[in-house]
Structure formats: C-alpha cells, structure tokens
Amino acid sequence: MSRTTFFEVEILDSKTKEQLCFLDKVEPHSSIAEIKSLFHKSYPKWYPARQSLRLDPKGKALRDDDILQNLPVGTSASIYFKDLGPQLGWTMVFLVECLGPLLIYLLFYLRVPYIYSKKYTFTSSTHPVVSLACACHSFHYIKRLIETIFVHRFSHGTMPLRSIVRNCAYYWGFAAWLAYYINHPLYTPPSFGERQVNYALIVFVLCEAGNFSIHWTLNSLQCEGAGSKCRRYPRPSKNPFTWLFFFVSCPNYTYEVGAWVGLSIMTQCVPVALFTLVGFAQMTIWARGKHKTYIREFKDYPNLRMPILPLIL
C-alpha cells in the first residue's frame, strides 16, 4: 500500500514576506479553497473571499479549484497572501447599484424640496413625456432588481468594497444628472412631438423584452452532472428575441444599449445620450472579453458572431 506524502504549506505576507501561518500535513489533493479555509481559522478577519493566494508576491492569483499537488511546488510550499479588502456578495452589489438610481430618479420626479426652486416643490410637469420617461426608467431598474434576485447566476462570489463605491458613484451620479434635466421645470419636449416619443417607446419596450429574454436564456443553460461547470455556449431558441444570438455573442448588452438609445430619443436629453455612450463603451469591453472566451473554449463557435453589434463590432 502506497504511503500518502503530505505537504507543508507556509503562507507569507506578499509585502513584508513575513510568515503568517504554517500548515502541516496538508493533503496533496487539497484545493486552494481548502487552504484558504485553513488559513481563515488562524485569521478570522481574512475570510476566504478576502484572500488572494499566489506563488509569487507579484504573480497571478491562484484559482480556488487549483490543486496543491498540481502546482509547481515541492512538498514544502511557500504561498504568498494578499488582502483584497472588505468584500460584498454580487447579489447585494447589484441590488445596491440598481436601487440607488431607482430612488434617486423618483426624488427628482417628485421635485422634493431643495432640488429646484421652492415654488416647484412637489409639483409635476405638464409634459406627458416626463411621466413616461419616469415610468420607463423605473421599470428598467425594477426589472434589473427582479432579475438579480430570481434570474441571474453569478460566477464570482464577491466584489471589493472599494469597487462597489466606484460603481455606485457612476450609476447613482448619472441617475441624478439625467433626472435633474428631464424633470426640470424648464424641460422642453422632443422636437418631433408624440411621434418621436411613441417610436422611441416601441424601441425601449422591445429592447427591454429582448434583454430579459437573453438573461432568461443564459439562466436556463443547464450543465450535465451535479456541480459541474457549464461548457456550452448560448444558442438561439424559439423565442424571436434570442435570434440575435445568430449574430452576436452578448445580445443582452445589445438590447441594453438599445433600451437606453430609445430613452435618449424619447427624452431628447444630452445626459441620457452621454450615459448611453459611456455604457456602450463599457459593455463593448465586456462583450469582447466574453466573445474571446467563447472562441477560446469552443472550437465550433460560430464565425458569424460579433461581440455586441451584428456584422460590425
């Protein structure tokens, strides 16, 4: 009978190189996630999601599913620890990011005190498009909140708290900026009146429906075997909104941008257009990254697909 060779794992501070923890008789089949749990027992404040373990102080972080005996180390391994800072779960991140814009916009729509002149406090606009824009904006974020709770599956457990502050500043700040102008007492309706508003509303509704359809399709991807990782890419279904998968890898971003384009046309408001442009730039970066991942992982990935815009980008 073969004898098991245990590992000795020394965990060092990545900055000072000081030894923080020494783990004796570690199973060779132990994963990095299990090592993080053992380290957490010695330092309760550094829970696993807050830890970044690496073989080199400035090297790439090890994945949680990496196995100790498969790493380029001997039976006496030195692993460097970096504190990622306080973390927050992705579900909570999305809820905070989406709830803020929803409530902030309503404050401007209701014209609460100290936003506009005192005589406009708790008054309402005479332009129907202002109420329609509020309904569309509210619907968008309520939909995102519902999807966060019931639809989305998050591949990563947490996000650093400092990143959450930055993201909230972005979403909340833009929400306040565009809400200020749309609900301003001096706001003027779109140049082409009801026709422009109605066409833009159709674009908005169709894109919101498409966005939800794509999120539902991504959620419905089932993997074979309990706990296994999914190795299938999304494909079009009988739902016409999913047919955009024939042409792009991330149609959820395509529809998201389309919804904001519709709201920009509906309100004819520069801040909304700028928010759409900045969002499009960021979503293009995400879409390209996902597109490259699909191409790398799947040899049969469709050549016709582009990251976010059919046949263009």
Side-chain angles (χ1 to χ4, degrees), residues 11-83:
I11 299 181
L12 309 173
D13 188 289
S14 61
K15 292 182 179 180
T16 65
K17 310 300 187 296
E18 176 188 356
Q19 186 185 90
L20 300 175
C21 182
F22 183 80
L23 305 176
D24 191 17
K25 294 186 177 181
V26 180
E27 292 282 349
H29 295 289
S30 297
S31 65
I32 293 299
E34 291 171 330
I35 293 176
K36 286 182 177 181
S37 297
L38 293 173
F39 182 49
H40 178 226
K41 292 180 180 179
S42 299
Y43 293 90
K45 69 173 182 178
W46 289 329
Y47 44 90
R50 187 168 176 166
Q51 301 174 32
S52 175
L53 300 182
R54 53 196 72 193
L55 298 179
D56 184 88
K58 297 182 180 179
K60 187 177 180 181
L62 297 170
R63 301 193 309 270
D64 283 351
D65 58 356
D66 283 335
I67 303 300
L68 184 58
Q69 68 176 3
N70 295 336
L71 299 176
V73 296
T75 53
S76 295
S78 294
I79 297 179
Y80 294 89
F81 160 77
K82 180 180 179 181
D83 182 13

Side-chain angles (χ1 to χ4, degrees), residues 51-302:
Q51 301 174 32
S52 175
L53 300 182
R54 53 196 72 193
L55 298 179
D56 184 88
K58 297 182 180 179
K60 187 177 180 181
L62 297 170
R63 301 193 309 270
D64 283 351
D65 58 356
D66 283 335
I67 303 300
L68 184 58
Q69 68 176 3
N70 295 336
L71 299 176
V73 296
T75 53
S76 295
S78 294
I79 297 179
Y80 294 89
F81 160 77
K82 180 180 179 181
D83 182 13
L84 297 177
Q87 305 284 307
L88 198 63
W90 269 105
T91 299
M92 184 58 65
V93 169
F94 273 68
L95 292 177
V96 172
E97 288 179 355
C98 297
L99 188 60
L102 175 63
L103 298 178
I104 288 172
Y105 194 101
L106 292 175
L107 293 178
F108 285 87
Y109 176 73
L110 296 173
R111 294 179 179 173
V112 298
Y114 307 110
I115 292 181
Y116 303 113
S117 299
K118 189 175 181 179
K119 66 178 180 178
Y120 294 113
T121 299
F122 293 120
T123 61
S124 58
S125 175
T126 58
H127 306 300
V129 66
V130 173
S131 296
L132 181 60
C134 179
C136 290
H137 187 275
S138 299
F139 173 82
H140 175 78
Y141 283 103
I142 290 173
K143 169 182 153 296
R144 289 189 60 176
L145 289 169
I146 293 174
E147 288 176 340
T148 297
I149 299 172
F150 299 106
V151 179
H152 289 319
R153 293 179 180 177
F154 300 107
S155 56
H156 300 287
T158 61
M159 174 186 277
L161 190 59
R162 58 181 178 273
S163 298
I164 299 169
V165 174
R166 180 193 62 205
N167 287 9
C168 287
Y170 167 75
Y171 285 110
W172 296 17
F174 258 116
W177 189 33
L178 61 88
Y180 175 83
Y181 283 98
I182 295 175
N183 297 286
H184 198 283
L186 300 180
Y187 170 80
T188 55
S191 303
F192 297 96
E194 289 188 9
R195 178 177 297 181
Q196 179 175 338
V197 172
N198 291 337
Y199 282 134
L201 178 61
I202 292 173
V203 171
F204 176 84
V205 171
L206 290 177
C207 287
E208 287 290 332
N211 181 261
F212 177 80
S213 296
I214 299 303
H215 286 160
W216 186 259
T217 299
L218 294 175
N219 171 271
S220 301
L221 279 178
Q222 298 296 326
C223 305
E224 297 181 1
S228 63
K229 290 186 176 180
C230 194
R231 295 301 180 191
R232 293 188 295 165
Y233 58 85
R235 304 171 187 268
S237 66
K238 294 180 180 180
N239 182 346
F241 288 112
T242 67
W243 294 352
L244 200 53
F245 272 125
F246 283 120
F247 306 104
V248 295
S249 296
C250 301
N252 51 319
Y253 295 145
T254 311
Y255 283 124
E256 176 88 6
V257 172
W260 284 103
V261 168
L263 196 60
S264 300
I265 297 172
M266 179 191 301
T267 59
Q268 198 170 297
C269 184
V270 172
V272 185
L274 288 176
F275 178 67
T276 303
L277 182 62
V278 173
F280 172 67
Q282 180 60 69
M283 283 184 272
T284 298
I285 295 173
W286 292 336
R288 282 180 169 176
K290 190 67 175 178
H291 182 72
K292 290 180 180 178
T293 300
Y294 282 145
I295 293 176
R296 184 173 62 251
E297 291 189 0
F298 304 104
K299 302 301 181 182
D300 62 337
Y301 196 68

